[in-house]
Amino acid sequence: MSYSWGELATESLDQVHQQFGHRVLGIGGTWLGTPNALPTEGRLRRITACLRSDLPPALWNYWWQAHYLDAICDAGFHFWRAENLQAARVQLVRGKQLVRGVWLRNLLRFSNYFFDDMAWLVLAAARLDQLALALHEEPSNLARTVQRTLGAELYSAHDQVLAGGLYWSRARNFKNTPVNSPAALHFARSGDTAMARALVGWMRERLYDPQLGLYLDGIHLTQHGHRLDRRVFTYNQGPIIGALLELGQPEDLGHVAELVSAVNKNLVTPTSGIRLESGADGGLFTGILCRYLAFAARDTRLPLATRQLAATLVEQTAMALPAQQPSQLSGAVQRTTLFFAAATVRSSLTEG
């Protein structure tokens, strides 16, 4: 079956806005996604659900909001490439509102306990800034505050224990791919290529499994030494691809080709593309990987075979999702992310 991925992606994002999106505490100029879909009937029930989500001690999924923002940026750039500037500006406004909503819900700050959460948000905020520049619009001052504040937080997570790498949280007892990979991409995009290169090298030495050709989860620091967590998650392979593309040396691009091949060998199901992780946080994982596979599919510096494989992986994975109607924000954002990734790769090879 052939799908119009751009139309599906736009419809999916509209559904996310309608089913999960709301103004924080009813305050204009703000936006957030609730963890679970809002009631479809009864205005009072919907308002009550929003208020319960917006006030502590309700569950606060900071990093889900970061990926919601990234999906909004995906939409903005999709419309910008299609020269639908009005639609792109609508997404820019929504993205600015979401950044403001995160600041408000996070108690008037952007800093968080988990450094990986902050890495994801700084990446999305920087993309929002780039969208504003592409549209010749005023950037979001709050998005730039995110980049300054959280960029500094990421530097503070780094030390020479285990010869480098960033900690996952303020507990400072776990160094893992989920923080080092997006942080490396952030540093590469923001101009600190030395730091990006150091993190990429550290991960390659400490967390890369040459037999699998994939990155393992992380290293736990204990009183008795350290312990390698050998679990392999789909999303951990994504932003390292992005960081390598940003660094862009021949050895970096060669490693991207190796990673795309390893994903195809080790993370693909027999019938539905890349495996989909289950529930809650896992509902975001495969969409994150596919966003960066789509970037690889568009990159003409890579071998055509690698680009074609990346595009095929994205489209095959997206094919499993049109009939799904996720009840959690994470899964709904992943569905949108995958559709925009598929829309990107559909045109990438003809352009290249």
Side-chain angles (χ1 to χ4, degrees):
M1 182 180 294
S2 179
Y3 292 101
S4 173
W5 294 119
E7 290 181 9
L8 274 176
T10 302
E11 291 171 4
S12 181
L13 184 58
D14 287 344
Q15 289 172 357
V16 175
H17 293 331
Q18 293 165 11
Q19 295 174 9
F20 301 89
H22 66 287
R23 296 182 297 179
V24 183
L25 301 175
I27 298 171
T30 67
W31 196 255
L32 272 187
T34 54
N36 300 299
L38 292 165
T40 57
E41 296 181 1
R43 185 169 180 271
L44 182 58
R45 290 179 62 208
R46 188 178 180 93
I47 291 171
T48 301
C50 291
L51 290 173
R52 285 177 176 169
S53 173
D54 291 342
L55 293 170
L59 181 66
W60 171 221
N61 300 106
Y62 179 109
W63 87 293
W64 292 14
Q65 309 299 328
H67 289 288
Y68 187 8
L69 178 58
D70 235 343
I72 289 170
C73 292
D74 289 338
F77 282 111
H78 170 79
F79 292 128
W80 175 72
R81 284 192 295 270
E83 299 184 358
N84 186 345
L85 302 186
Q86 181 177 356
R89 289 189 178 98
V90 168
Q91 299 306 322
L92 175 63
V93 171
R94 179 67 79 207
K96 290 180 178 182
Q97 292 171 342
L98 183 54
V99 172
R100 195 174 296 114
V102 169
W103 174 79
L104 185 58
R105 176 61 179 82
N106 203 52
L107 306 179
L108 310 186
R109 61 185 179 179
F110 290 114
S111 296
N112 191 39
Y113 182 76
F114 296 100
F115 290 110
D116 65 328
D117 286 8
M118 292 187 276
W120 296 117
L121 185 59
V122 76
L123 285 176
R127 290 188 75 209
L128 187 68
D129 228 11
Q130 290 300 311
L131 179 61
L133 291 173
L135 292 169
H136 306 290
E137 297 287 341
E138 287 294 319
S140 166
N141 290 330
L142 276 179
R144 295 201 165 179
T145 300
V146 170
Q147 293 172 73
R148 289 193 303 271
T149 303
L150 301 191
E153 291 276 14
L154 294 178
Y155 279 115
S156 77
H158 180 264
D159 66 17
Q160 289 305 311
V161 174
L162 297 179
L166 274 65
Y167 292 102
W168 176 58
S169 75
R170 298 192 190 279
R172 303 180 83 85
N173 59 9
F174 188 31
K175 291 189 170 184
N176 65 2
T177 305
V179 63
N180 282 277
S181 187
L185 176 55
H186 161 67
F187 290 125
R189 285 178 173 172
S190 61
D192 191 347
T193 55
M195 185 64 159
R197 178 71 64 192
L199 295 181
V200 165
W202 183 84
M203 284 187 288
R204 184 70 179 267
E205 180 179 347
R206 296 279 182 165
L207 297 176
Y208 180 68
D209 184 326
Q211 274 69 49
L212 288 173
L214 298 170
Y215 285 84
L216 308 178
D217 195 49
I219 304 172
H220 295 273
L221 286 76
T222 72
Q223 293 179 340
H224 308 290
H226 57 268
R227 174 175 57 85
L228 180 63
D229 187 333
R230 296 192 59 84
R231 289 179 297 173
V232 175
F233 295 107
T234 50
Y235 78 128
N236 281 341
Q237 321 311 316
I240 185 64
I241 289 174
L244 292 164
L245 291 173
E246 289 290 334
L247 291 170
Q249 294 300 308
E251 61 270 23
D252 302 317
L253 301 177
H255 191 30
V256 170
E258 293 169 350
L259 282 169
V260 173
S261 178
V263 166
N264 183 57
K265 181 179 179 181
N266 295 301
L267 298 180
V268 169
T269 66
T271 59
S272 56
I274 301 169
R275 75 184 193 210
L276 298 171
E277 312 282 5
S278 59
D281 287 349
L284 285 165
F285 287 3
T286 302
I288 294 169
L289 171 55
C290 285
R291 172 178 290 116
Y292 294 101
L293 287 173
F295 289 163
R298 290 185 63 86
D299 197 316
T300 57
R301 298 171 300 173
L302 294 173
L304 181 59
T306 296
R307 298 177 62 209
Q308 289 174 329
L309 178 57
T312 298
L313 289 169
V314 170
E315 286 212 77
Q316 285 180 344
T317 309
M319 292 281 286
L321 297 180
Q324 291 190 9
Q325 293 295 327
S327 61
Q328 289 189 307
L329 178 66
S330 56
V333 166
Q334 171 171 263
R335 185 172 181 266
T336 302
T337 300
L338 265 163
F339 291 160
F340 276 119
T344 296
V345 302
R346 176 69 60 86
S347 61
S348 64
L349 298 181
T350 57
E351 293 173 358

